[in-house]
């Protein structure tokens, strides 16, 4: 059976799933605009942004703890398990559940323990940069 005959016999849902898997693999192989940067859980790959004529690097939605859903609800956070490969951190993580009109907020989820990091440059090897934290 040729590849074309095989593909012709696959149901549409299977083709969609194959395409999704292939496209995710290709997206993960794209070069980083910013980084990669090593964290305790694995490498992250960010993006670059322009603001007031300057280039910034953004690492968005970096998970720092496991989801607080199910049996972990109302428990102290558990550090995020290490991941394999590079995690693409190019969009904000989900917002933690809110008790008011959230129609203008990004999606909500109990898997919301993530950080957004912006930097004008990556620190030198073994060095650091000043940090400002907003809560």
């Amino acid at each position: 059976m040729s590849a074309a005959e095989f593909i012709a016999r696959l149901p549409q849902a299977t083709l969609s799933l194959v395409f999704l898997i292939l496209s995710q693999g290709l997206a993960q192989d794209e070069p980083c605009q910013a980084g990669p940067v090593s964290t305790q859980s694995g490498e992250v790959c960010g993006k670059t942004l322009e603001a007031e004529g300057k280039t910034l690097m953004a690492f968005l939605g970096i998970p720092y703890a496991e989801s607080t859903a199910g049996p972990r609800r109302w428990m102290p956070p558990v550090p995020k398990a290490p991941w394999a490969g590079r995690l693409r951190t190019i969009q904000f993580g989900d917002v933690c559940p809110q008790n008011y009109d959230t129609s203008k907020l990004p999606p909500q989820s109990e898997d919301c323990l993530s950080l957004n990091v912006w930097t004008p440059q990556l620190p030198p090897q073994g060095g650091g940069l000043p940090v400002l934290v907003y809560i």
Side-chain angles (χ1 to χ4, degrees), residues 4 15 27 29 39 41-42 46-47 54 60 64 75 81 90 94 97 112 116 124:
L15 286 175
D29 291 340
T39 72
S41 296
K47 64 181 182 177
K54 297 181 182 178
L60 307 174
Y64 65 87
M75 302 298 291
I90 58 172
D94 289 346
C112 60
N116 303 311

Side-chain angles (χ1 to χ4, degrees), residues 10-21:
L10 291 175
Q12 184 63 36
T14 303
L15 286 175
S16 297
L17 180 60
V18 168
F19 177 75
L20 178 65
I21 291 168

Side-chain angles (χ1 to χ4, degrees), residues 54-130:
K54 297 181 182 178
T55 300
L56 300 171
M57 288 175 259
F59 302 88
L60 307 174
I62 303 170
Y64 65 87
E66 295 295 338
S67 173
T68 58
R72 291 196 173 125
R73 187 172 290 141
W74 311 118
M75 302 298 291
V78 175
K80 185 72 176 172
W83 53 80
R86 284 189 188 141
L87 184 62
R88 296 184 57 78
T89 56
I90 58 172
Q91 62 187 20
F92 292 103
D94 289 346
V95 173
C96 293
Q98 306 293 312
N99 194 21
Y100 60 90
D101 178 20
T102 58
S103 61
K104 295 180 182 156
L105 292 176
Q108 295 183 39
S109 167
E110 288 186 72
D111 191 7
C112 60
L113 301 177
S114 62
L115 298 170
N116 303 311
V117 178
W118 288 267
T119 180
Q121 65 188 38
L122 295 177
Q125 188 69 19
L129 293 172

